[in-house]
Amino acid sequence: MDRKLHSALGGAETIVHRFREVLESGGISNVEVIDLKNAFNTLSRKYLGEAIMELDPQMFAYVQWAYGDVTPILMTMEDGTTQEVLSMEEIRQGDGLAVKLMGDMMHCAMRELIKKVPGLDMDVFVDNITLSVRSGSELVEEGQYEGM
């Protein structure tokens, strides 16, 4: 099986079935599942725009309209007052396209990572990442990937 990155572009079922195939094929030395905390609120809108331009250019006008400028965020302070903070990060979780936008951005980011780390396979669904390392890969043989 070739090294691949599978992401939400094909839906969660694609990832579940692909990962089952990987496990059944054997030869996996390590598996790690990562759930990114606060992922929607910490992503770069600049990177989001770049990912959308590459994967779905027809959506770029929407992303530019919805996320191209600062967003006021209202925060309630301990004393009960409200303070406005301007943000250039985050995807609004109430946005009906938030999962698609996050999935596209994660696909691009993880694709770059997989190019740089030999022996690593990834499955990505929104902000959930499953990493697997094949037995006999340079990563395992050289002891570069410990703690998985």
Side-chain angles (χ1 to χ4, degrees):
M1 183 183 293
D2 294 330
R3 275 188 53 199
K4 294 181 182 175
L5 164 67
H6 291 80
S7 70
L9 297 177
E13 295 84 7
T14 302
I15 293 170
V16 170
H17 292 297
R18 203 298 283 194
F19 194 65
R20 186 185 67 228
E21 289 173 8
V22 168
L23 291 176
E24 289 174 354
S25 72
I28 299 296
S29 65
N30 297 295
V31 174
E32 181 81 20
V33 179
I34 302 167
D35 183 1
L36 302 175
K37 287 187 175 194
N38 207 21
F40 284 86
N41 295 325
T42 56
L43 70 83
S44 161
R45 289 184 182 179
K46 180 180 183 294
Y47 192 82
L48 171 65
E50 292 170 4
I52 296 300
M53 269 307 279
E54 177 185 337
L55 295 175
D56 194 356
Q58 294 176 333
M59 285 292 301
F60 185 73
Y62 169 76
V63 169
Q64 187 65 24
W65 172 78
Y67 298 105
D69 202 358
V70 295
T71 301
I73 298 173
L74 299 176
M75 298 178 58
T76 303
M77 309 310 283
E78 287 183 16
D79 64 2
T81 61
T82 303
Q83 183 175 354
E84 183 178 89
V85 177
L86 300 178
S87 175
M88 278 297 293
E89 304 297 315
E90 57 84 26
I91 292 179
R92 292 178 201 93
Q93 291 190 37
D95 183 342
L97 294 172
V99 170
K100 184 233 185 306
L101 298 175
M102 183 67 155
D104 287 354
M105 196 230 34
M106 289 294 292
H107 177 85
C108 288
M110 296 301 106
R111 184 187 58 209
E112 291 305 311
L113 180 60
I114 201 170
K115 288 178 187 176
K116 296 177 182 179
V117 182
L120 183 65
D121 289 337
M122 293 186 193
D123 295 284
V124 180
F125 182 71
V126 191
D127 62 348
N128 300 290
I129 304 167
T130 302
L131 306 172
S132 55
V133 178
R134 297 194 179 280
S135 300
S137 74
E138 293 176 26
L139 202 57
V140 173
E141 290 174 5
E142 296 177 13
Q144 295 177 11
Y145 197 76
E146 295 182 19
M148 243 179 127

